[in-house]
Amino acid sequence: MAVAEFIPSSSLNKRTSLYSSQLSYVSTQISHQRRLSVRSLPRTNYSSQICCSVTSKEAQAPTVVQADDPKKKNECYGVFCLTYDLKAEEETGSWKKMISVAVSGAAGMIANHLLFKIASGEVFGPDQPIALRLLGSERSLQALEGVAMELEDSLYPLLREVNIGTDPYEVFQDAEWALLIGAKPRGPGMERAGLLDINGQIYAAQGKALNAVASPNVKVIVVGNPCNTNALICLKNAPNIPAKNFHALTRLDENRAKCQLALKAGVFYDKVSNVTIWGNHSTTQVPDFLNAKINGLSVKEVIKDTKWLEEEFTEKVQKRGGALIQKWGRSSAASTAVSIVDAIRSLVTPTPEGDWFSTGVYTNGNPYGIAEDIVFSMPCRSKGDGDYELVKEVIFDDYLLSRIKKSEDELLAEKRCVAHLTGEGIAVCDLPGDTMLPGEM
């Protein structure tokens, strides 16, 4: 039978803006016969919580839960009102333990591409059940409801749970992966220092929430720009989580570099390997052609046009986002989502022998002489356990070192600019020029 329990807001420890649907999926026959209980939820009464459970043998007719204000219209929104309980089959016995993945900015375009890849099994594997925990703002809450409805309608067997909310302390509860996409875009007339402060405050708050309620070994990928310094702010506000667990997304830059090298060499991009993006996710980033390979050969052996490599190639990668906006009318979303998938898969699957991948990580203890205590994109390898190690067998020349130094200087200046958010005193903004983020106009 179905049981619905109404918990008034006065019995909660604090107001919650989190709504959950326990999507207890277990594979049945191909017809996916469902037993479900449907209840009306008070659309605007966000201070109440519905808890429900359904047995595997029968489902009760819809149960109406009265709102505090009976005049308000009650509506049922997809996963908020549905509890699935499907009969177990042998197939699900081999599934792994469910993992919890939190996503901020979950009503945005990037997340709209990403969430369905996660739910389908493309990211963590075909035997990995998923609980999605989606963070938005008060303004985007209705859009989040729509996202949850679409996820429900997609009938992903691996998607076991969907929760949405506006409070990171609720949404990040027990999260094992946190994909932090949400950030304010840079508007007309906004100085880079202003963007650092506004988004830095968001990531300071999210770091504190992760520190308080997430899994102690949560893996964090920061996408919202300026992502390197946002990642630094986040990790500084989460001292209980290993600093090594924080990443700034530079995988899209790596993918763009591989594409440009493949085009120039006249090969498919799967022939390009060992590509590194060094530094900041800005126009000071350094796409490394010195250590990259095409068909196992050094790029400089295959592409002998050094001027193209140092000038046109580098600039194309650095400014690809802006060029896309000119063509497309908006910043990249689908390719960013794909690069997040690539970044996660690089951590949960072993790196191919001899290859590596790029990710922005904490620099303490790095073997390259890069300044410590910043988040800097560097070459990494993984055994597929979610951890990574820095690659040591890389070479440098004067050109590469000078470019890396420029990006390092920019990140050190950004760090000084957000000192008030990292617990390091008064902020002093002396940014070396107003460099643009990839995709800014």
Side-chain angles (χ1 to χ4, degrees):
M1 63 178 293
V3 181
E5 176 188 1
F6 179 71
I7 303 175
S9 58
S10 59
S11 68
L12 298 175
N13 291 332
K14 62 180 181 179
R15 185 180 74 83
T16 177
S17 59
L18 179 69
Y19 305 91
S20 66
S21 166
Q22 305 300 320
L23 304 177
S24 304
Y25 283 102
V26 189
S27 178
T28 59
Q29 298 175 356
I30 295 176
S31 62
H32 287 287
Q33 298 171 352
R34 307 190 220 179
R35 294 179 173 83
L36 54 88
S37 172
V38 182
R39 280 146 313 282
S40 294
L41 288 183
R43 170 106 188 275
T44 57
N45 182 18
Y46 294 141
S47 60
S48 300
Q49 184 181 34
I50 300 295
C51 295
C52 39
S53 61
V54 183
T55 68
S56 60
K57 294 184 178 179
E58 57 182 318
Q60 186 170 295
T63 302
V64 177
V65 181
Q66 296 296 331
D68 292 341
D69 183 358
K71 294 181 181 179
K72 293 179 180 178
K73 183 180 179 182
N74 293 334
E75 294 185 49
C76 186
Y77 287 94
V79 294
F80 308 128
C81 308
L82 303 180
T83 299
Y84 298 93
D85 195 348
L86 309 179
K87 264 192 173 180
E89 273 192 358
E90 185 176 341
E91 177 190 351
T92 60
S94 63
W95 283 3
K96 299 175 182 177
K97 181 181 176 182
M98 184 170 68
I99 60 171
S100 180
V101 181
V103 182
S104 76
M109 288 297 297
I110 296 172
N112 193 46
H113 292 279
L114 175 65
L115 295 174
F116 297 87
K117 292 178 177 291
I118 295 173
S120 71
E122 180 181 339
V123 182
F124 292 98
D127 59 350
Q128 179 60 74
I130 298 290
L132 281 175
R133 308 181 68 83
L134 311 181
L135 179 67
S137 63
E138 294 290 347
R139 188 176 64 177
S140 70
L141 190 58
Q142 185 172 341
L144 276 182
E145 293 172 351
V147 171
M149 291 169 69
E150 281 212 274
L151 285 167
E152 178 195 34
D153 292 345
S154 299
L155 300 179
Y156 291 116
L158 291 168
L159 184 58
R160 308 295 294 275
E161 186 176 319
V162 173
N163 303 277
I164 74 168
T166 60
D167 182 353
Y169 285 87
E170 295 283 354
V171 177
F172 292 165
Q173 186 73 44
D174 300 321
E176 294 159 273
W177 288 82
L179 312 178
L180 306 183
I181 301 173
K184 181 180 176 63
R186 184 174 180 178
M190 182 184 293
E191 297 291 335
R192 188 174 175 85
L195 185 69
L196 282 164
D197 180 62
I198 291 170
N199 283 334
Q201 292 182 50
I202 295 171
Y203 282 86
Q206 292 184 359
K208 291 173 182 175
L210 287 167
N211 194 63
V213 301
S215 165
N217 197 36
V218 61
K219 304 298 189 296
V220 183
I221 297 180
V222 174
V223 181
N225 284 319
C227 64
N228 293 63
T229 298
N230 285 343
L232 179 68
I233 293 167
C234 197
L235 75 85
K236 289 289 187 177
N237 283 275
N240 295 336
I241 300 170
K244 193 178 184 184
N245 288 16
F246 289 81
H247 299 257
L249 183 74
T250 58
R251 187 56 174 267
L252 179 55
D253 304 312
E254 177 188 323
N255 290 352
R256 289 168 170 170
K258 285 181 175 178
C259 178
Q260 294 303 315
L261 290 172
L263 284 169
K264 184 68 172 178
V267 300
F268 200 61
Y269 46 73
D270 63 350
K271 304 301 182 184
V272 183
S273 64
N274 302 87
V275 173
T276 305
I277 299 296
W278 296 92
N280 197 7
H281 179 65
S282 76
T283 48
T284 68
Q285 66 175 263
V286 187
D288 178 1
F289 55 83
L290 182 63
N291 291 282
K293 296 179 180 180
I294 297 174
N295 279 322
L297 299 174
S298 166
V299 162
K300 295 188 76 172
E301 291 182 56
V302 179
I303 301 173
K304 301 185 183 299
D305 187 345
T306 302
K307 183 178 180 181
W308 181 88
L309 289 169
E310 292 184 352
E311 297 178 9
E312 189 174 343
F313 164 68
T314 298
E315 185 173 340
K316 274 190 174 182
V317 176
Q318 291 172 337
K319 297 183 178 181
R320 179 72 164 183
L324 187 143
I325 288 177
Q326 288 183 323
K327 298 289 187 181
W328 192 219
R330 59 172 174 79
S331 60
S332 56
S335 58
T336 300
V338 169
S339 72
I340 296 170
V341 172
D342 291 341
I344 296 170
R345 287 195 58 78
S346 289
L347 293 168
V348 300
T349 56
T351 305
E353 183 70 27
D355 203 358
W356 58 67
F357 58 91
S358 303
T359 181
V361 292
Y362 197 48
T363 53
N364 281 16
N366 78 86
Y368 315 118
I370 294 166
E372 299 207 336
D373 204 32
I374 55 177
V375 171
F376 200 90
S377 185
M378 298 181 283
C380 299
R381 287 194 181 108
S382 177
K383 297 177 181 178
D385 55 359
D387 201 356
Y388 65 90
E389 60 182 18
L390 294 174
V391 176
K392 295 180 180 178
E393 62 272 20
V394 291
I395 58 174
F396 298 91
D397 61 11
D398 291 341
Y399 172 85
L400 182 56
L401 287 171
S402 66
R403 291 300 183 103
I404 287 175
K405 183 66 167 59
K406 183 178 179 181
S407 201
E408 175 189 83
D409 289 344
E410 181 179 61
L411 282 169
L412 288 170
E414 288 187 10
K415 177 188 171 184
R416 291 190 292 271
C417 201
V418 298
H420 61 301
L421 298 173
T422 59
E424 298 179 9
I426 300 173
V428 178
C429 285
D430 56 345
L431 297 175
D434 194 10
T435 60
M436 304 293 281
L437 299 167
E440 284 185 345
M441 300 298 292

